[in-house]
Amino acid sequence: MSPKKHKRPKHHPPTPGHDTTTETAPTRRPGRAPVVIPDPPDRRITALWTGLALLWALGTPLALAHLLFTFMDLQDTLAHTRADPSTPLPGDHINALGTALIWLLALALAVPLLATLLAALLRRKIAFFGFAAALTATALPLFLLMPPTELWHALTTHFSGP
């Protein structure tokens, strides 16, 4: 046995003249408080933020590439088949272009806007500021390239027809 364990003081029984009923409970030292360990964050909320951030970060460039490739396909079709400028544009290419625009707007604007509102409702400051920055980072260049009035006109034309 180690010397430390061997030399422990043993508990002595109370002396007969000592009254144990009047003893006070040992007092705590001032300044000591129990350590409160917070619960870990909910993994579902973390998965939600991660999913929305990935949807925005990966979906926006892919939707933009799809829009650009659809537009290039429309230009290629027009260059090969159109000799007369008065002929109407092919309807299937215009519908594909409108659908690509809707995907771009949904992934670039609607996803970060929805995530920003959800973060504000759930009172998550870091997620709120992150998704607000993402919304600003995509909305400003998009609206500089195509003003909101032109976007609205393109969407109403796509849904109602020319």
Side-chain angles (χ1 to χ4, degrees):
M1 198 183 281
S2 73
K4 288 183 180 179
K5 291 182 180 177
H6 185 65
K7 294 183 180 182
R8 273 196 241 175
K10 297 189 180 200
H11 182 11
H12 298 290
T15 58
H18 186 67
D19 187 16
T20 59
T21 58
T22 60
E23 280 187 25
T24 59
T27 58
R28 287 188 175 175
R29 287 188 280 170
R32 288 198 59 174
V35 176
V36 178
I37 300 173
D39 291 334
D42 192 7
R43 293 179 192 265
R44 294 174 294 183
I45 298 267
T46 305
L48 174 70
W49 300 140
T50 304
L52 287 172
L54 284 174
L55 184 64
W56 170 77
L58 297 176
T60 300
L62 289 174
L64 182 61
H66 182 249
L67 178 67
L68 292 175
F69 290 141
T70 305
F71 185 72
M72 288 171 30
D73 187 37
L74 176 65
Q75 282 185 332
D76 189 43
T77 302
L78 291 176
H80 291 319
T81 62
R82 195 167 171 194
D84 184 22
S86 63
T87 58
L89 296 173
D92 57 340
H93 288 291
I94 297 297
N95 285 338
L97 195 62
T99 305
L101 179 64
I102 290 170
W103 275 107
L104 177 67
L105 292 176
L107 292 171
L109 298 178
V111 168
L113 179 65
L114 173 75
T116 303
L117 293 175
L118 191 61
L121 288 175
L122 293 175
R123 296 181 183 150
R124 307 285 189 200
K125 286 183 183 179
I126 294 174
F128 174 78
F129 289 125
F131 283 112
L135 179 63
T136 304
T138 54
L140 284 177
L142 185 67
F143 290 152
L144 286 174
L145 290 174
M146 190 172 195
T149 55
E150 289 181 18
L151 280 172
W152 181 254
H153 180 68
L155 288 174
T156 56
T157 302
H158 174 69
F159 286 124
S160 65

